[in-house]
Amino acid sequence: MPRTSAIMAPMKTIGFISDTHGTLDSAAYAALADSDVIIHAGDIGRPSVLTELRCLAPTIAVLGNNDFPEYGSDVDHFATPEIEGVRFLVGHEPIYVTPRAFPQRLKPGDPIPDVIVHGHVHYPRLEWGPSVRPAKLLLCPGAVLRPRNGSVRAIAKMQVEDGRILRAWVEDLRGNQLMTFPA
């Protein structure tokens, strides 16, 4: 009898960054170095920030309220990437990507995102449960520049595989985990 084996896709690590405002310091760059894909949730500040991030990994970015369309046609106000079977809705301001905003952001027949990603608020968020349904997770990586509400400069990461979110966390730029999913 022939022997068969399933070929599983490898786990991917996604790095998340937001609110760089034109500055990608070395600590943020180093924190994202193990990313297979990077998502920038807006307020990029300069095209050179995306150039530097793309030296690490393929980078998906959205425009923030302080950005202009100077980044090329692949950077718009919203992005809906799918990575390893996990669907994302990315926008800068949280009000435009919450589950209540889905009718304005998604076209009829579009799949519901598994993960909502935003920036803008300058402090990290990692939420799941009834408040983010029908999505599974809401993530804001915080800010690399000028954090607010007593927060520290931070990025976020997520491990995904075969349509599943294995783990997500926010970490400060020293590598200390601030919040994790699952808890």
Side-chain angles (χ1 to χ4, degrees):
M1 184 180 291
R3 192 171 178 201
T4 61
S5 62
I7 299 173
M8 299 298 289
M11 177 188 67
K12 296 252 191 242
T13 299
I14 305 165
F16 299 88
I17 190 168
S18 186
D19 295 280
T20 50
H21 296 278
T23 302
L24 181 62
D25 77 11
S26 59
Y29 189 82
L32 294 169
D34 64 345
S35 302
D36 296 301
V37 177
I38 297 170
I39 294 178
H40 194 304
D43 275 359
I44 303 159
R46 287 190 191 148
S48 61
V49 169
L50 294 184
T51 301
E52 289 179 68
L53 291 173
R54 288 178 175 140
C55 288
L56 294 173
T59 300
I60 299 159
V62 296
L63 297 170
N65 59 301
N66 291 304
D67 291 321
F68 301 95
E70 60 196 336
Y71 305 100
S73 60
D74 63 331
V75 180
D76 203 349
H77 290 282
F78 301 97
T80 55
E82 184 174 313
I83 303 167
E84 280 301 308
V86 176
R87 295 176 307 275
F88 295 83
L89 173 60
V90 185
H92 183 61
E93 296 187 47
I95 192 168
Y96 297 121
V97 293
T98 62
R100 283 190 215 145
F102 285 179
Q104 292 83 35
R105 298 297 152 242
L106 303 174
K107 298 178 184 101
D110 281 352
I112 298 295
D114 298 305
V115 181
I116 302 164
V117 180
H118 73 81
H120 188 63
V121 295
H122 288 237
Y123 57 87
R125 291 175 69 189
L126 189 56
E127 297 177 18
W128 57 93
S131 66
V132 302
R133 286 190 186 130
K136 295 175 185 164
L137 195 66
L138 180 142
L139 178 131
C140 174
V144 171
L145 194 67
R146 297 188 297 271
R148 294 183 189 146
N149 290 359
S151 182
V152 296
R153 298 180 315 135
I155 55 105
K157 292 185 182 175
M158 180 180 294
Q159 293 172 328
V160 297
E161 182 179 56
D162 197 29
R164 295 177 297 134
I165 302 164
L166 303 177
R167 188 168 163 248
W169 67 97
V170 175
E171 65 183 53
D172 67 20
L173 295 187
R174 293 183 181 153
N176 300 311
Q177 290 188 16
L178 306 174
M179 39 186 90
T180 62
F181 167 85

